[in-house]
Amino acid sequence: MSTPIQTIEHDARDHDTHDEAPELPVDLDEREYQDALIGLSQASVDRHFDAFIDIPWDHPDFSVDPTDERWVLPQGDPLGAHRWYRALPLERRIEIGLWRQSNIMKVGLQFENILIRGIMQYVFTRPNGSAEFRYLTHEATEECHHTQMFQQGVNRIGQDVPGMPRWLRRVATFMPWAASKFPVAFFIGVLAGEEPIDHTQKRILRDADDMPPVLRRIMEIHVAEEARHISFAHHYVMRNAPRLNRRDRFITALLFPVIMRVLGDAILVPPREMREKFDIPEHVLKELYWDSPESRAFLSELFADVRMLAEDSGLMTRSSRWVWRRLKIDGRASRFRSEPAATFVDAERAA
């Protein structure tokens, strides 16, 4: 009989202006889109997780020890790689690591709560026989398990973290409404919530040799299922953005980078409560997320996949390209989804 640690290792191996908006063909291959949804739906049936079956919360190896050095933030987390953090005493780095990982999970479950409500709003309007209805209901089910998984992780760590910035928590009530009124913009927002967490967790899983088992298991499950959710959002935007009228496409193109930057910051940037609790200097945050060459490189890599989507779906216009650059999230688009960072960096240097 395999141990929880062996199960983790096994699963880790298993997943690894009007004149500026171009006229695109609206006759995208509908059969291809439907086949993609059917495939994603079947994948949800074949491989899915339950927060209280697939994580042995009560196993001793999965307990949270507040003195465990494995809670020190890894290099894959921008804050964990910063010299200010690395110079702190070990006990302080562990304390910050526990709070940081807990808050990222809290932000994740809050975003997924918004997504679930938006999905339910959207599928209410789908006709009989809709492949979107089936797939999105699978996704909502999986996201419900993710919210339970993340909240249980927060509870086990024991930090009373807020998650999203206060302003975003206040407007969260109204965000699901956009799913039925402005679905393309809504699913761009979905990517803004999913891509940063997915990208960061993949980096941490690749770079961290020794992690607390409970944290590794949560990340592995999330990354495995989030691949389907991100794939659907890419397919949806690719199919539907060219079908927007010229005005809506122009506006959506301008909003695309704004949505990415605002919601990406909500996930990545430590909230005010964390900055105050741990006396994180303002210059550290500026270096990490705005001003330094390292932060620009990180943000460029982080949003490479969605820039590719903007290019391919006709949402990268002259005006919107300026907005991407102004928000410091521009750069070369990925050549394919989830292009490895090393390949991406090499191509950037060659260019």
Side-chain angles (χ1 to χ4, degrees), residues 53-339:
I53 293 176
D54 296 294
I55 301 179
W57 297 102
D58 296 325
H59 191 281
D61 290 342
F62 281 68
S63 62
V64 175
D65 178 0
T67 66
D68 188 345
E69 296 183 16
R70 292 177 296 180
W71 286 101
V72 171
L73 291 175
Q75 295 279 336
D77 185 300
L79 181 60
H82 196 276
R83 60 187 179 279
W84 171 84
Y85 176 78
R86 294 169 64 103
L88 294 173
L90 176 61
E91 295 78 8
R92 193 63 165 173
R93 282 182 284 146
I94 294 172
E95 187 181 3
I96 291 175
L98 285 162
W99 207 98
R100 170 78 164 160
Q101 298 291 6
S102 184
N103 197 69
I104 290 174
M105 283 190 273
K106 187 70 174 184
V107 173
L109 75 88
Q110 290 167 336
F111 266 113
E112 291 181 342
N113 180 283
I114 294 170
L115 172 58
I116 293 163
R117 288 182 285 137
I119 285 175
M120 292 297 99
Q121 182 86 2
Y122 180 77
V123 299
F124 188 80
T125 65
R126 297 302 87 195
N128 295 331
S130 168
E132 287 183 342
F133 179 94
R134 179 185 170 185
Y135 168 71
L136 283 170
T137 306
H138 282 305
E139 180 169 330
T141 302
E142 292 164 359
E143 298 291 25
C144 282
H145 284 299
H146 292 180
T147 61
Q148 289 182 309
M149 176 176 71
F150 284 151
Q151 187 62 65
Q152 187 72 356
V154 172
N155 295 346
R156 288 303 178 96
I157 292 174
Q159 301 285 339
D160 188 19
V161 293
M164 292 176 172
R166 187 177 293 111
W167 72 267
L168 191 51
R169 298 199 301 269
R170 288 174 177 170
V171 303
T173 299
F174 308 101
M175 293 173 71
W177 170 79
S180 56
K181 301 298 291 184
F182 310 105
V184 173
F186 177 80
F187 283 107
I188 289 172
V190 168
L191 287 171
E194 291 177 333
E195 290 273 14
I197 291 180
D198 182 71
H199 182 90
T200 302
Q201 289 182 338
K202 285 177 179 176
R203 281 183 54 159
I204 292 173
L205 286 170
R206 284 194 300 263
D207 298 342
D209 296 328
D210 194 17
M211 294 172 60
V214 65
L215 182 61
R216 178 177 290 277
R217 185 60 171 158
I218 288 172
M219 286 188 180
E220 287 172 348
I221 290 175
H222 189 247
V223 165
E225 293 193 320
E226 211 65 13
R228 292 193 290 267
H229 307 169
I230 292 172
S231 178
F232 169 77
H234 275 259
H235 277 89
Y236 187 90
V237 174
M238 273 292 297
R239 173 182 178 265
N240 291 289
R243 289 170 162 78
L244 296 172
N245 62 46
R246 293 172 68 89
R247 185 201 65 177
D248 288 350
R249 199 186 321 149
F250 175 71
I251 294 172
T252 303
L254 292 178
L255 287 175
F256 199 141
V258 176
I259 293 170
M260 286 293 147
R261 183 70 208 231
V262 170
L263 296 186
D265 279 359
I267 294 170
L268 296 171
V269 180
R272 177 181 299 175
E273 292 87 346
M274 183 178 182
R275 300 197 297 267
E276 293 175 351
K277 180 178 178 66
F278 297 107
D279 297 321
I280 302 176
E282 190 66 25
H283 73 84
V284 171
L285 297 178
K286 287 184 178 180
E287 288 178 16
L288 285 174
Y289 303 106
W290 291 290
D291 292 341
S292 71
E294 293 79 11
S295 71
R296 291 296 298 271
F298 170 73
L299 291 171
S300 180
E301 177 195 327
L302 179 66
F303 293 106
D305 280 8
V306 290
R307 287 196 304 272
M308 178 185 67
L309 175 62
E311 296 274 10
D312 293 345
S313 62
L315 295 177
M316 186 68 80
T317 65
R318 289 198 300 271
S319 296
S320 68
R321 198 179 299 277
W322 178 86
V323 179
W324 285 93
R325 185 168 59 253
R326 186 70 176 173
L327 294 176
K328 302 180 181 180
I329 55 174
D330 59 321
R332 184 183 69 80
S334 295
R335 292 170 295 184
F336 51 90
R337 278 191 53 219
S338 299
E339 182 178 353

